[in-house]
Amino acid sequence: MFGAAGGFFGAGLFALKVLAWLLWWELVLCWYLLLGCYWLLRGVYWDGPRAAWRWWQRRQAAGTVGSGA
């Protein structure tokens, strides 16, 4: 159908398919990287301090601070 240019056309289509596949996986991997960074930062800057604060409040309520034990 494409004559002598058919081989080049087929190679070009294959290259475009490979490029599209690589771009798709880059998008997927970047999404997972962003999601992982979100959860890491959330744990460090949100859930971690909240858990430490709740632990500190429970510790103070139990009366273990300043009892000399």
Side-chain angles (χ1 to χ4, degrees):
M1 178 176 177
F2 295 103
F8 290 111
F9 185 75
L13 276 180
F14 178 74
L16 286 175
K17 283 183 181 180
V18 168
L19 181 63
W21 184 80
L22 288 173
L23 287 173
W24 167 251
W25 277 107
E26 181 186 1
L27 176 71
V28 168
L29 292 176
C30 285
W31 170 249
Y32 281 119
L33 181 66
L34 285 173
L35 200 59
C37 287
Y38 164 76
W39 282 106
L40 179 68
L41 291 174
R42 177 181 165 160
V44 169
Y45 290 109
W46 181 254
D47 293 332
R50 285 170 53 93
W53 178 252
R54 285 192 307 265
W55 170 80
W56 181 254
Q57 293 299 310
R58 283 194 309 268
R59 185 171 179 247
Q60 293 225 342
T64 58
V65 178
S67 65

